[in-house]
Amino acid sequence: LPGFSESLLLDVILLLRSQPQGGRDNASQKTFEIDYNHNCFRKDGQPFRYISGSIHYFRVPRFYWKDRLLKMKMAGLNAIQIYVPWNFHEPQPGQYQFSEEHDVEHFIQLAHELGLLVILRPGPYICAEWEMGGLPAWLLEKENIVLRSSDPDYLAAVDTWLGVILPKMKPLLYQNGGPIITVQVENEYGSYFSCDYDYLRFLQKRFHYHLGNDVVLFTTDGEMEKLMQCGALQGLYATVDFGPGANITKAFLIQRKYEPKGPLINSEFYTGWLDHWGQPHSTVKTEVVASSLQDILARGANVNLYMFIGGTNFGYWNGANMPYQPQPTSYDYDAPLSEAGDLTEKYFAVRDVIRKFEKVPEGPIPPSTPKFAYGKVALKKLKTVEEALNILCPAGPVKSLYPLTFIQVKQYFGFVLYRTTLPEDCSEPTPLSSPHRGVHDRAYVSVDGVPQGVLDRNYVTTLNITGKAGATLDLLVENMGRVNYGYYINDYKGLISNLTLNSSILTDWMIFPLDIENAVYHLGGWHDNDRSYRSKACAHSSNYTLPAFYVGNFSIPSGIPDLPQDTFIQFPGWTKGQVWINGFNLGRYWPARGPQVTLFVPRHILVTSAPNTIAVLELERAPCSDDPPEPCTVEFVDKPVISATVTYSH
């Protein structure tokens, strides 16, 4: 009942605001510091311990920010921890986004209004299972750049970025009347190969320059001595992270080796874990989380629960690990609040543990949001990618003797189509190969409009194809998310090395960077623009159909007061692709691999005033045929499926 829950929300907020905050807005008296004599923080002179939870504003729709923050407050947390992803705010060099879904200042102010303190982690690198660990892909335009080091090109870009983000954060520091109590420098730097203390010292100086000398700066690293050696720096308070399975005494002894005095801090206490396509959904038992949390709090330690709510990798924002394994669209994390913000058994168990140590706010907890199953929607095939090239790439192709990467054609996300012609007759199956694993990350191959199969980064580096000399060879290459952790974060996309046909290097490429977002947003213009390349053949192999767009719509009655509501979309019989609703990029679906089967659809992207438009780009095989033409269906359901049995096939 949205009407009921919104009025409830208002009552709880008013109740929280009426509770004394200790002169919250009188900045002149406000201090937050480390007391090394008593091994604690001091907030306004009083001993203080935070119990915090991680939330990523960039993974939760702005529409739901207040709902999720209030649920965190009502669990007994007195702080939240947030990352700031650089690439989310500076998608192109010098072009900044800080409004609407990108309005981090508003998010921090919302937390402040609810009486939640904020632990800020502005990077510049954040990991977070986020595309390239939050670093912008355009950094890779300097081909030999050493990321996360004192490389001059990297430092120059970082310095400019810090000069934008940190001045926005300064008024929000606790001592300036805001909620930010501590600020992390970099992120788990001890886990990175470069071990560059000059880089950390540079960051330390710039953070102090922009934020002042009285801000508490800290680092976070895994609870192993070799990780602390390169991650810690004098003048930055060293903290550790560990999950429920760790030896808590041993972990805090590692912290004590680097910080003999001061508060004990676990900056990332893992409530769950991340997922990868093709692997089972990760879970951590509630009892194990609750038991470890109780042990940490009983020691008087500060703790941040990572994650308290995971959220969603909308669009193309998911990261990946090595050997190359991309993360799915859902970042549920088996956290106390589900991806859709629902209360779980783990939420109440964590709240019960916190209640033993701190006063938990009184009043009702905002309920889980209602979900609605809108049912099946028929989609019709609109155009194949090949047929729509002049719409998807109005500027036309870039011509090059050898393939160029996404970066070289200024395409950071999504898809690029690579086209050449077969230099020889391939009436018998002929090997098309990527000898140096140069397909980053997945290529959908066709010859004269006949699908041939898929090449990928890890497993399928050779594919037998057939076609006549002079036939058009197309490879639609997908960036499935840049590596976010470890040595290989300089993750170039596209065809990053030459392809061979029968061991001869293929040349004379036409490269089409595809602006799918803009095209999907203006679907009405697709029918008026039909001068595109047409497939010469409609035949397709038994296993694949050509990458193509499918479109349909559904209406939500406007007379029902409680609609629209959140829902989940699933893809029965579909294979792998991308989906948009009303132009909003929900993310990737891949039910053929799992474990995620449904995608979360937040209600704010749905409308009742007009039909809702669904656009699907199916990359491998649609569940309906062209001959005769028949509709495919997607289905809206009211329960998520993110832990299906994995059906992993290369």
Side-chain angles (χ1 to χ4, degrees):
L1 297 170
F4 171 74
S5 60
E6 279 161 19
S7 64
L8 195 67
L9 202 64
L10 194 59
D11 291 345
V12 176
I13 291 168
L14 290 171
L15 178 70
L16 290 168
R17 281 183 180 167
S18 68
Q19 293 174 4
Q21 300 289 334
R24 188 172 70 204
D25 295 313
N26 186 353
S28 61
Q29 301 170 1
K30 308 197 76 66
T31 57
F32 193 88
E33 57 204 351
I34 294 171
D35 181 344
Y36 289 96
N37 294 323
H38 297 92
N39 298 332
C40 68
F41 286 116
R42 293 221 170 243
K43 178 171 158 280
D44 302 329
Q46 298 300 310
F48 176 78
R49 181 253 292 271
Y50 67 69
I51 304 174
S52 166
S54 284
I55 175 172
H56 296 160
Y57 61 90
F58 42 95
R59 282 184 163 124
V60 175
R62 177 176 174 142
F63 181 84
Y64 277 129
W65 285 353
K66 190 170 277 188
D67 173 81
R68 310 304 195 246
L69 288 169
L70 188 51
K71 285 170 177 165
M72 294 174 80
K73 173 79 177 179
M74 298 308 287
L77 303 181
N78 57 12
I80 61 166
Q81 187 193 80
I82 66 166
Y83 279 130
V84 179
W86 180 2
N87 55 6
F88 189 66
H89 295 286
E90 193 181 0
Q92 306 274 349
Q95 295 180 16
Y96 299 102
Q97 295 182 342
F98 285 106
S99 61
E100 299 175 346
E101 302 291 322
H102 300 76
D103 194 345
V104 59
E105 293 158 281
H106 175 67
F107 181 82
I108 292 170
Q109 288 286 8
L110 274 180
H112 192 26
E113 288 173 21
L114 293 174
L116 286 164
L117 298 165
V118 174
I119 298 157
L120 182 72
R121 308 169 94 187
Y125 163 85
I126 64 168
C127 187
E129 290 73 63
W130 186 255
E131 154 81 23
M132 206 165 145
L135 298 176
W138 49 259
L139 290 171
L140 299 176
E141 287 171 11
K142 302 275 188 183
E143 285 194 21
N144 297 316
I145 195 167
V146 182
L147 302 171
R148 303 180 70 195
S149 78
S150 45
D151 177 302
D153 290 322
Y154 177 68
L155 287 191
V158 167
D159 201 22
T160 303
W161 165 240
L162 294 181
V164 172
I165 186 62
L166 295 183
K168 289 178 179 291
M169 299 296 102
K170 187 173 184 180
L172 298 167
L173 294 174
Y174 186 78
Q175 43 274 57
N176 296 333
I180 297 173
I181 51 171
T182 62
V183 179
Q184 180 179 290
V185 175
E186 243 279 348
N187 186 73
E188 293 183 332
Y189 190 63
S191 300
Y192 192 58
F193 72 90
S194 60
C195 196
D196 185 339
Y197 296 118
D198 288 340
Y199 168 52
L200 288 183
R201 277 189 280 268
F202 167 84
L203 292 179
Q204 181 182 29
K205 284 176 187 168
R206 302 314 286 160
F207 275 58
H208 278 308
Y209 174 82
H210 291 295
L211 300 177
N213 288 324
D214 54 351
V215 63
V216 175
L217 300 180
F218 72 99
T219 60
T220 301
D221 284 286
E223 34 83 48
M224 293 168 64
E225 196 164 337
K226 66 176 182 181
L227 301 179
M228 300 289 283
Q229 278 170 0
C230 289
L233 185 76
Q234 191 171 358
L236 305 176
Y237 192 77
T239 75
V240 290
D241 52 28
F242 56 87
N247 179 325
I248 297 171
T249 302
K250 185 180 168 194
F252 282 136
L253 280 174
I254 295 288
Q255 187 197 354
R256 276 285 171 252
K257 184 158 186 181
Y258 286 82
E259 298 291 355
K261 301 286 186 183
L264 293 174
I265 302 174
N266 182 352
S267 290
E268 292 185 8
F269 172 66
Y270 303 110
T271 60
W273 198 244
L274 57 113
D275 284 348
H276 295 112
W277 290 115
Q279 295 179 7
H281 172 56
S282 299
T283 58
V284 177
K285 289 183 177 171
T286 294
E287 315 84 74
V288 177
V289 172
S291 170
S292 283
L293 178 63
Q294 175 146 337
D295 192 341
I296 291 168
L297 293 177
R299 295 164 191 254
N302 298 259
V303 65
N304 172 71
L305 283 73
Y306 188 102
M307 299 292 298
F308 201 87
I309 171 171
T312 309
N313 297 313
F314 293 115
Y316 306 114
W317 285 116
N318 67 279
N321 285 304
M322 288 295 285
Y324 189 75
Q325 301 173 91
Q327 291 119 17
T329 302
S330 172
Y331 193 63
D332 179 87
Y333 215 83
D334 195 33
L337 290 173
S338 76
E339 176 184 8
D342 292 345
L343 306 168
T344 66
E345 175 197 16
K346 197 173 280 184
Y347 175 93
F348 290 103
V350 164
R351 188 170 180 259
D352 286 343
V353 171
I354 294 171
R355 183 184 268 140
K356 295 175 184 176
F357 300 90
E358 304 289 342
K359 192 173 187 306
V360 169
E362 294 176 10
I365 300 169
S368 299
T369 56
K371 312 295 186 296
F372 196 84
Y374 299 100
K376 292 181 179 177
V377 179
L379 306 186
K380 287 185 180 171
K381 184 174 174 182
L382 182 60
K383 282 183 194 298
T384 66
V385 169
E386 293 173 353
E387 289 166 354
L389 270 184
N390 62 311
I391 304 166
L392 300 171
C393 185
V398 177
K399 294 180 180 176
S400 176
L401 184 62
Y402 300 112
L404 301 173
T405 66
F406 276 40
I407 292 292
Q408 288 170 316
V409 297
K410 296 276 198 281
Q411 174 93 359
Y412 303 133
F413 300 100
F415 301 85
V416 171
L417 185 101
Y418 293 79
R419 172 173 288 173
T420 188
T421 53
L422 297 185
E424 61 183 82
D425 189 66
C426 302
S427 50
E428 294 298 315
T430 307
L432 174 71
S433 296
S434 171
H436 303 291
R437 295 182 180 266
V439 174
H440 285 198
D441 299 302
R442 201 168 171 85
Y444 307 93
V445 183
S446 64
V447 174
D448 268 357
V450 179
Q452 305 289 309
V454 175
L455 289 170
D456 77 20
R457 180 169 173 161
N458 279 351
Y459 304 106
V460 186
T461 56
T462 297
L463 181 68
N464 284 326
I465 65 170
T466 55
K468 295 176 181 172
T472 299
L473 170 65
D474 279 345
L475 291 92
L476 179 65
V477 179
E478 178 184 10
N479 165 4
M480 289 187 55
R482 286 184 180 81
V483 172
N484 59 262
Y485 178 80
Y487 190 95
Y488 296 99
I489 54 173
N490 55 336
D491 189 9
Y492 289 87
K493 298 300 187 184
L495 299 184
I496 68 161
S497 59
N498 286 319
L499 295 188
T500 61
L501 184 67
N502 221 1
S503 302
S504 297
I505 291 173
L506 288 169
T507 56
D508 298 317
W509 291 90
M510 290 196 292
I511 302 159
F512 298 80
L514 304 185
D515 185 1
I516 295 179
E517 300 311 297
N518 189 50
V520 165
Y521 204 73
H522 299 99
L523 279 174
W526 283 48
H527 301 288
D528 313 325
N529 202 337
D530 241 356
R531 300 186 306 279
S532 48
Y533 167 88
R534 283 279 172 188
S535 310
K536 295 173 188 164
C538 291
H540 59 78
S541 65
S542 57
N543 293 326
Y544 296 96
T545 54
L546 284 175
F549 291 90
Y550 299 78
V551 177
N553 59 58
F554 70 103
S555 295
I556 300 174
S558 57
I560 303 174
D562 292 341
L563 294 181
Q565 288 175 356
D566 292 350
T567 186
F568 303 91
I569 186 171
Q570 65 182 16
F571 302 85
W574 300 76
T575 309
K576 182 184 192 309
Q578 201 83 20
V579 60
W580 295 258
I581 297 183
N582 296 331
F584 180 89
N585 191 335
L586 274 181
R588 310 174 204 267
Y589 67 88
W590 202 356
R593 183 150 300 186
Q596 181 177 6
V597 172
T598 61
L599 270 66
F600 173 52
V601 183
R603 60 179 266 199
H604 76 287
I605 68 169
L606 302 173
V607 294
T608 56
S609 55
N612 294 274
T613 300
I614 306 168
V616 168
L617 170 58
E618 170 57 51
L619 297 165
E620 292 191 23
R621 182 169 178 79
C624 48
S625 69
D626 290 347
D627 193 19
E630 58 183 10
C632 304
T633 59
V634 294
E635 186 175 10
F636 291 96
V637 295
D638 56 9
K639 289 184 178 59
V641 180
I642 57 169
S643 56
T645 305
V646 171
T647 54
Y648 197 161
S649 62
H650 302 326

